[in-house]
Amino acid sequence: MSPSGYETKPKIDMGPSTVTTSVALHRWLLQRSDKNPLSCLQDREKTVRAKLSIWQLHYAFICVTAIVAALPTFGQEEYIVQHSNGMLLGPGVLSETDTISTSSFQQGGGGEIKSKSIGVMDDGLRLTYFNLAPINASWERSTAPVMEQIDFPSAAEVARAGNAPSILQILGVSAFNEYGRRTFSFLSPRGRVDVLQGITLLTPKYAKLEILNTESEKFVWDTRIATSSIPADELEAILKQALGMANSGDWLRLVRFYTQAERYGEAQKIMSEALQKFPSELASQRPIQTQLDQLFANQKFEEIKLRREAGQHLQAAQFLGAFPVQSLPVESQVKLQSEVDDANQRLALMGDISEALKFHASQLPEPDQQVVAPVVEEILGELSHNTVARLADFQRLRSDNSTPNENKVALAISGWVLGSGAGLDNFAVAKSLLRVRNLVVDYLNEADAPRRQQILGILRSEEGAQPPLLAKLLATMKPPQPPPPTAADDPPGLYRVNTVDSLGSSLTYLVQVPPEYDPNRKYPCVLALPGTGDLPELEINAWCGIYSKLAFSMARAGYATRYGYIVVSPAWMQAGQTEYQYTEGEHDRVLKAYRDALRKFSIDSDRVFISGHFDGATAAWDIAVSHPDLWAGAVMLSPGADKYIVQYDENVQGKSNDQIPLGTYIVYGQLDGKRVNTKLGTIATNYLRSSRFDSLVVEYRGRGSGLFLEELPRIFEWMELSSHRRIRVARNIEVKTMRSGDRFFYWLEAPALLPNVAGSPYQFDPTSAGSFQANVLDINGVSVSRIPSPNKMATIWFSPEMVDFSRPVTVAMSGRRRSYDLAPDIGVMLEDVRTRADRQHVFWQKVDIQ
């Protein structure tokens, strides 16, 4: 170790690799375990591209700096922005711009820009871009206290002149030493280069890293990383070295730093040590310890609330039981006891309901007891916090002496089968519902068409198969297919599923379900596409966290785990494929995996977010704009953008501000080469200029392409917004199509596309496009004004959200109107579910226009 703290040899040698800067910086976030991380993460750190040429680095840096620095700003005060979708941004410095493109040839469309319509929120770590129109955003000055900023002496050693590094491969990144320095080793066109990176500024939110002067060639590079990405032990050593810790003020400053970072456990520890070291000086500051105890307790209570809302009631109970009650402030003790009492009351209620159901079922005639015995056993075995609401009608009347036993049991059975609030007191219908449920499962899993018709014939004779009842049954039932067995050496809840695509080729995907997974509960989902050379395990670990030792057991603790999301990650690329090709076959593999997962796992199809990293992000973006009716939102991390993504922007543009088809969340690094060599900036600028898009774009300072795990807290905040739910029925359809697979939008389907519309991605023609234009009429019908199919053929799918089936339904098309008497058909309903696998949004009837 040199006197300056320079470590001359990297502690970690990753061997020959092509890792992006961001992926290397994330190694600690993805390796919080006592054992070696999964091999997929090691593979990832050996395969990601990071070819940032000198001109790309210089060009991107100059363009971005010029855009932000030259704009009229709101001053250097910090602001909070409230987005129309409910998202809060900031605090940060607010400014405005009219483009985020780095190229004068990629400035975005939309004609002359009369004013700067894009807001820029700079929080030091990243720039967040949003539409600045008053209808879309409002802002106010932040009242938050000024964040601690720790300047490092190494700032005087920063190279102020020189070239940006040309990074072909990252060879190694050492751990930080106590001076906030580390060795960064990379392969340049002239061979291996070791440079010294030093933290020059550290705040509770981010660390500023710059290259320090050494005897070797000088480089200039300012990059930012989240403070949360620095391992806890390294961060504490760095902070103590920087602050000196010679007097009580230094210790209090460290307490403030951890408090502002919301690391209350560490703040408690430091404050306790400070009180022991300086008992007289800090006597008046003892209330800080109590405040920290309260903040820490509130943080834990919020985690308990989060886990409970995610359906993880046992986990919440464990957290409650682990609270050190005697050390809590009185207010927290009262809150804790209230939580415990509430949990006990819910358990007691479930026990009472179970006993009452057993009693009333036992009072039925013997033949009826035998009929209901299996479902009563099912209810008793599966009654939980997730399902108890289904028995609300039974609970309300179970003690009513005027209600016969069979009616009470009917309420329990029908509520269990149809869902909360749907209980029926007709015992014959309740028994029919049990038969219908079994027949529906048989139908959905039957590959033989004649056999399906036989099952359908039986169903038509069942009173419990009426369309309104069938729709509720489909939405409430467990997935019709069981998941495969889990492997003994895999983490709990990880499934490896094999299926086939439309061409019969093998297709594998991984599924990670959250703790305490219950197939009777609907879970939001992330469909995560890995990039070139990546395994689906990378996406599972990035979203769900590494399987590692926690307080109570081995478990995952990532954001998808804590929020209760199912993560599905398909191996969507073919062997030997090196990039995304914008083909229908790639879409087919992704959608086949998704629909197969719907059949096997309890996914809330109204809350599915498609996402990906690198080429997987580009694919996710293309699939999102090609099929906007399937998703609640799209999250792209380090994407590119070309071809259909550029042409399909109107597919995610709202026709009215209160019904925007799809929200998009785009994250990339300031120095990512794809900003220059794809149309990422063009299309993102188009999204941001109009209030009819729901889009946030996030740019990390001084970073290349990467995983951007530190953005996950905000991504989940965005996904949890009530505004981000799939639109089941679009009142107005105005979309573009240029590919044969992109011909089903919401409720309108073209059986085929015109030859001049269905072009090839390999010979892409941006002028070859067709349009779908249609709307739901106020007079109980629909109008189709454009459809790019031969002879204007179309299939129109109907549901109760669109029309009233008790009245004639009008279809207006090609200047003609025709009235149909449409009766809901369970055959249409079941075949729709069998093919699309969506049990929550079922079409009840269809009309084919020839």
Side-chain angles (χ1 to χ4, degrees):
M1 182 74 69
S2 69
S4 66
Y6 174 43
E7 203 167 73
T8 57
K9 183 178 180 181
K11 291 182 179 178
I12 302 175
D13 187 356
M14 297 179 186
S17 61
T18 54
V19 186
T20 66
T21 305
S22 296
V23 174
L25 298 180
H26 274 115
R27 76 192 192 288
W28 286 105
L29 269 177
L30 286 178
Q31 295 178 9
R32 292 171 184 255
S33 112
D34 295 332
K35 61 179 183 178
N36 290 331
L38 296 180
S39 60
C40 68
L41 295 176
Q42 297 169 333
D43 292 341
R44 178 62 205 163
E45 293 194 349
K46 295 179 181 178
T47 57
V48 183
R49 288 75 51 213
K51 298 182 179 180
L52 303 176
S53 66
I54 294 174
W55 73 268
Q56 283 175 326
L57 286 166
H58 272 309
Y59 188 63
F61 179 77
I62 291 170
C63 288
V64 173
T65 303
I67 288 172
V68 176
L71 295 174
T73 70
F74 292 77
Q76 292 306 303
E77 293 181 276
E78 292 196 329
Y79 286 79
I80 297 287
V81 170
Q82 171 81 56
H83 197 275
S84 61
N85 62 22
M87 188 80 172
L88 283 175
L89 303 176
V93 177
L94 192 57
S95 60
E96 51 189 343
T97 183
D98 58 16
T99 182
I100 64 171
S101 174
T102 61
S103 169
S104 60
F105 298 102
Q106 297 182 20
Q107 296 295 303
E112 181 183 356
I113 303 301
K114 297 181 180 180
S115 62
K116 293 169 180 174
S117 56
I118 302 174
V120 188
M121 173 66 73
D122 182 357
D123 65 6
L125 175 64
R126 64 211 155 188
L127 306 179
T128 302
Y129 299 97
F130 58 95
N131 179 261
L132 198 58
I135 196 174
N136 215 40
S138 59
W139 51 88
E140 61 182 25
R141 286 184 174 86
S142 171
T143 58
V146 177
M147 285 282 182
E148 283 287 333
Q149 293 195 5
I150 301 174
D151 296 304
F152 283 66
S154 52
E157 304 173 44
V158 172
R160 299 302 177 189
N163 296 319
S166 178
I167 303 173
L168 302 180
Q169 298 177 7
I170 292 177
L171 303 178
V173 183
S174 76
F176 284 106
N177 65 18
E178 66 269 29
Y179 300 97
R181 302 171 182 223
R182 68 182 185 184
T183 302
F184 188 87
S185 304
F186 63 92
L187 182 65
S188 76
R190 288 178 289 175
R192 180 183 177 116
V193 177
D194 296 330
V195 297
L196 179 63
Q197 277 188 323
I199 296 176
T200 56
L201 176 67
L202 184 60
T203 78
K205 181 173 290 185
Y206 69 91
K208 179 180 180 180
L209 284 170
E210 297 182 90
I211 295 180
L212 308 183
N213 281 315
T214 62
E215 296 178 358
S216 61
E217 184 177 359
K218 292 180 172 58
F219 294 101
V220 176
W221 182 21
D222 168 7
T223 189
R224 310 293 171 91
I225 63 173
T227 303
S228 60
S229 68
I230 303 174
D233 55 342
E234 293 180 26
L235 178 62
E236 182 176 349
I238 292 168
L239 287 167
K240 287 184 173 179
Q241 174 64 36
L243 295 174
M245 311 307 286
N247 55 62
S248 60
D250 297 333
W251 286 79
L252 289 178
R253 192 177 179 193
L254 182 53
V255 169
R256 283 196 300 272
F257 185 98
Y258 278 131
T259 302
Q260 291 177 346
E262 298 182 3
R263 300 168 75 135
Y264 303 124
E266 288 151 296
Q268 284 176 313
K269 170 178 169 289
I270 297 298
M271 190 64 198
S272 178
E273 292 179 16
L275 289 171
Q276 292 177 17
K277 281 182 172 291
F278 308 97
S280 57
E281 290 182 49
L282 297 180
S284 63
Q285 303 297 321
R286 285 189 176 276
I288 293 177
Q289 188 74 58
T290 303
Q291 294 169 8
L292 290 172
D293 291 343
Q294 186 69 59
L295 288 169
F296 184 70
N298 288 339
Q299 190 176 59
K300 293 302 180 184
F301 281 131
E302 287 301 311
E303 183 69 15
I304 289 169
K305 180 181 177 182
L306 177 64
R307 295 303 184 107
R308 181 181 292 167
E309 291 175 348
Q312 299 168 31
H313 297 278
L314 293 178
Q315 187 82 70
Q318 279 187 316
F319 288 158
L320 280 172
F323 260 110
V325 179
Q326 300 306 318
S327 64
L328 294 178
V330 174
E331 179 184 341
S332 294
Q333 291 187 35
V334 172
K335 188 175 181 180
L336 175 61
Q337 188 58 50
S338 176
E339 293 281 347
V340 172
D341 291 344
D342 184 47
N344 289 335
Q345 288 172 8
R346 289 197 301 271
L347 290 173
L349 174 62
M350 287 187 283
D352 292 344
I353 291 175
S354 297
E355 291 301 317
L357 178 57
K358 285 193 291 185
F359 171 76
H360 290 298
S362 70
Q363 302 304 301
L364 295 172
E366 183 64 29
D368 287 335
Q369 287 188 44
Q370 294 180 6
V371 170
V372 303
V375 72
V376 169
E377 183 178 356
E378 175 187 326
I379 294 172
L380 297 177
E382 298 179 11
L383 188 63
S384 68
H385 296 280
N386 301 321
T387 57
V388 67
R390 297 188 196 178
L391 302 186
D393 293 324
F394 170 74
Q395 163 65 8
R396 179 170 48 87
L397 294 176
R398 67 185 176 90
S399 300
D400 183 357
N401 294 328
S402 65
T403 303
N405 277 325
E406 70 172 25
N407 296 97
K408 294 177 181 178
V409 175
L411 286 168
I413 293 173
S414 58
W416 183 258
V417 174
L418 301 179
S420 177
L424 304 171
D425 62 2
N426 188 314
F427 191 58
V429 175
K431 289 189 292 184
S432 176
L433 287 170
L434 297 178
R435 296 190 294 270
V436 169
R437 189 175 64 165
N438 292 335
L439 289 167
V440 165
V441 172
D442 291 342
Y443 183 97
L444 296 179
N445 292 326
E446 181 56 63
D448 181 64
R451 174 57 186 151
R452 289 200 301 272
Q453 289 304 307
Q454 292 177 359
I455 297 171
L456 183 59
I458 299 171
L459 279 167
R460 291 190 188 281
S461 67
E462 288 285 352
E463 191 174 3
Q466 300 170 53
L469 298 180
L470 180 61
K472 292 177 181 178
L473 183 149
L474 286 164
T476 305
M477 63 184 282
K478 289 188 286 189
Q481 297 178 9
T486 57
D489 55 348
D490 274 336
L494 180 66
Y495 295 86
R496 301 178 184 272
V497 189
N498 296 309
T499 185
V500 294
D501 61 20
S502 294
L503 298 178
S505 299
S506 176
L507 173 61
T508 300
Y509 65 93
L510 297 188
V511 178
Q512 178 67 58
V513 299
E516 303 173 46
Y517 169 73
D518 180 356
N520 287 302
R521 175 190 175 93
K522 293 290 190 295
Y523 292 85
C525 174
V526 174
L527 179 62
L529 310 185
T532 304
D534 296 333
L535 298 175
E537 284 88 344
L538 175 79
E539 295 296 325
I540 297 293
N541 290 329
W543 287 94
C544 302
I546 287 286
Y547 182 63
S548 58
K549 185 174 180 58
L550 301 176
F552 302 110
S553 61
M554 296 289 291
R556 299 185 189 270
Y559 282 90
T561 301
R562 295 171 53 228
Y563 278 84
Y565 279 62
I566 292 175
V567 178
V568 178
S569 184
W572 61 279
M573 280 188 162
Q574 299 280 16
Q577 187 173 343
T578 59
E579 63 181 0
Y580 178 55
Q581 298 172 343
Y582 293 88
T583 64
E584 185 178 346
E586 291 165 309
H587 286 214
D588 175 71
R589 289 176 66 81
V590 172
L591 295 178
K592 283 289 186 182
Y594 168 55
R595 297 195 194 284
D596 194 65
L598 284 176
R599 297 183 180 102
K600 293 179 171 65
F601 299 92
S602 192
I603 293 171
D604 182 349
S605 59
D606 287 336
R607 297 187 63 198
V608 178
F609 297 85
I610 188 167
S611 181
H613 287 90
F614 316 111
D615 285 310
T618 309
W621 197 346
D622 186 28
I623 294 170
V625 298
S626 302
H627 308 280
D629 49 310
L630 297 181
W631 320 111
V635 179
M636 286 72 68
L637 300 110
S638 300
D642 206 348
K643 299 184 179 179
Y644 304 95
I645 296 174
V646 178
Q647 298 300 319
Y648 281 11
D649 58 349
E650 68 184 67
N651 294 6
V652 293
Q653 182 178 20
K655 309 310 176 282
S656 61
N657 287 321
D658 61 346
Q659 196 180 47
I660 296 176
L662 186 76
T664 55
Y665 199 117
I666 303 165
V667 186
Y668 59 85
Q670 176 188 3
L671 305 180
D672 191 339
K674 290 190 288 292
R675 295 191 64 211
V676 177
N677 55 36
T678 77
K679 296 180 179 179
L680 168 62
T682 302
I683 193 63
T685 295
N686 286 348
Y687 285 6
L688 292 166
R689 281 178 177 170
S690 171
S691 62
R692 293 185 181 272
F693 291 95
D694 175 4
S695 187
L696 287 179
V697 178
V698 181
E699 175 186 313
Y700 272 76
R701 288 180 170 276
R703 301 271 284 275
S705 61
L707 297 173
F708 297 109
L709 300 183
E710 62 266 65
E711 191 62 24
L712 286 179
R714 291 208 307 177
I715 289 173
F716 272 88
E717 180 184 348
W718 182 85
M719 293 194 300
E720 286 289 294
L721 295 172
S722 60
S723 58
H724 291 144
R725 302 292 185 270
R726 174 184 62 156
I727 295 177
R728 292 188 176 190
V729 176
R731 305 293 296 180
N732 299 285
I733 298 176
E734 292 182 29
V735 295
K736 184 184 289 187
T737 184
M738 304 174 68
R739 186 168 37 203
S740 59
D742 306 343
R743 52 188 174 84
F744 191 132
F745 297 95
Y746 301 100
W747 44 266
L748 181 59
E749 179 181 10
L753 297 183
L754 292 167
N756 65 313
V757 171
S760 167
Y762 301 112
Q763 297 177 325
F764 186 73
D765 179 5
T767 65
S768 173
S771 296
F772 287 73
Q773 290 188 6
N775 61 286
V776 177
L777 299 172
D778 293 333
I779 58 171
N780 203 50
V782 298
S783 172
V784 179
S785 52
R786 286 189 183 180
I787 187 166
S789 61
N791 301 317
K792 297 188 181 301
M793 293 187 297
T795 298
I796 303 171
W797 297 84
F798 292 94
S799 68
E801 297 98 327
M802 296 169 58
V803 296
D804 179 356
F805 287 107
S806 67
R807 299 161 50 201
V809 175
T810 298
V811 176
M813 189 169 180
S814 301
R816 296 175 297 172
R817 288 187 176 227
R818 181 175 175 182
S819 182
Y820 294 85
D821 292 322
L822 296 180
D825 189 331
I826 65 171
V828 173
M829 296 173 71
L830 289 173
E831 195 60 17
D832 176 46
V833 173
R834 190 185 71 85
T835 53
R836 292 193 307 118
D838 185 354
R839 292 177 288 114
Q840 290 173 242
H841 175 41
V842 182
F843 291 111
W844 292 29
Q845 189 51 278
K846 66 176 182 176
V847 171
D848 294 315
I849 307 295
Q850 301 296 330

